[in-house]
Amino acid sequence: EDIKRVPIIIGCTDLDTCRSIGETLAEILENEKRKWVVVISTDLSHYHSYDEAQSIDSVFIDALTTFDEKSLYSILQSDKAQACGEGPVLSGMIASHQLGASEVKVLKYANSGDSAGPRDQVVGYISAAFVKYLIEERGKSKFLELFKDQTYYNAKKVYGDEIDSLISEFERKLL
């Protein structure tokens, strides 16, 4: 099947504008009959030392996981945290909340010093998910256990043979 993409570039960081974008996106998706997924992209801090970046980025992560756009916006505006995609994150958070997501789960945090780069000037990266599906369908304790170790091997331990059908079901929902 063809996978359709609709890129949305958000260059603003004003909370009211982000709220309007997020609410509009949610209204459109609520009535969409096809399966869909929203992907949001941002880097975190830029060009700080490894330890300083981890400290700054942890403030962003803490605010993000509150799943409260006002809290996240406040932290970003105070410059205690950094995200070059502030507008998309805020808009996506608002849309996800309106669409029924109940929490944010950090999947992975790293910075460029963790991979191939030097540690004197790094860029922070995060993958996170606004989640609803696995928690509602299979229970929060299993979901939390899975995200302690995000390997297929651990998923097999947590969900047993059911993991293969869960993966297939999730893939069908995306297509």
Side-chain angles (χ1 to χ4, degrees), residues 12-53:
C12 71
T13 59
D14 173 70
L15 185 57
D16 290 333
T17 304
C18 291
R19 182 172 288 107
S20 178
I21 293 167
E23 289 172 353
T24 302
L25 180 60
E27 287 171 21
I28 292 167
L29 293 174
E30 282 175 329
N31 298 316
E32 179 57 54
K33 303 223 185 312
R34 295 171 292 181
K35 304 298 181 191
W36 51 266
V37 63
V38 175
V39 177
I40 304 161
S41 178
T42 188
D43 295 342
L44 298 182
S45 64
H46 281 74
Y47 309 122
H48 299 283
S49 70
Y50 183 89
D51 291 335
E52 187 178 3

Side-chain angles (χ1 to χ4, degrees), residues 75-87:
I75 291 295
L76 289 165
Q77 291 302 299
S78 72
D79 206 29
K80 293 178 184 172
Q82 300 170 353
C84 56
E86 176 180 341

Side-chain angles (χ1 to χ4, degrees), residues 12 14 20 50 53-54 59-61 75 97 107 113 117 149 172:
C12 71
D14 173 70
S20 178
Y50 183 89
Q54 285 193 318
V59 173
F60 176 88
I61 292 167
I75 291 295
H97 196 273
L107 307 177
D149 176 6
R172 280 192 305 277

Side-chain angles (χ1 to χ4, degrees), residues 43-57 82 109-125:
D43 295 342
L44 298 182
S45 64
H46 281 74
Y47 309 122
H48 299 283
S49 70
Y50 183 89
D51 291 335
E52 187 178 3
Q54 285 193 318
S55 178
I56 293 168
D57 295 344
Q82 300 170 353
Y109 166 78
N111 66 46
S112 55
D114 293 314
S115 58
R119 291 187 168 206
D120 60 331
Q121 290 189 330
V122 301
V123 177
Y125 306 101

Side-chain angles (χ1 to χ4, degrees), residues 80-139:
K80 293 178 184 172
Q82 300 170 353
C84 56
E86 176 180 341
V89 171
L90 291 167
S91 299
M93 177 184 282
I94 292 163
S96 297
H97 196 273
Q98 188 168 323
L99 290 164
S102 54
E103 60 187 305
V104 179
K105 284 294 170 194
V106 174
L107 307 177
K108 177 78 174 171
Y109 166 78
N111 66 46
S112 55
D114 293 314
S115 58
R119 291 187 168 206
D120 60 331
Q121 290 189 330
V122 301
V123 177
Y125 306 101
I126 184 173
S127 61
F130 299 109
V131 294
K132 172 183 170 182
Y133 174 71
L134 276 179
I135 291 174
E136 287 184 359
E137 296 294 321
R138 301 297 191 270

Side-chain angles (χ1 to χ4, degrees), residues 143-157:
F143 181 82
L144 293 174
E145 190 176 336
L146 172 65
F147 280 96
K148 289 178 187 173
D149 176 6
Q150 301 166 43
T151 63
Y152 178 76
Y153 174 76
N154 187 54
K156 268 292 226 208
K157 283 185 1 189

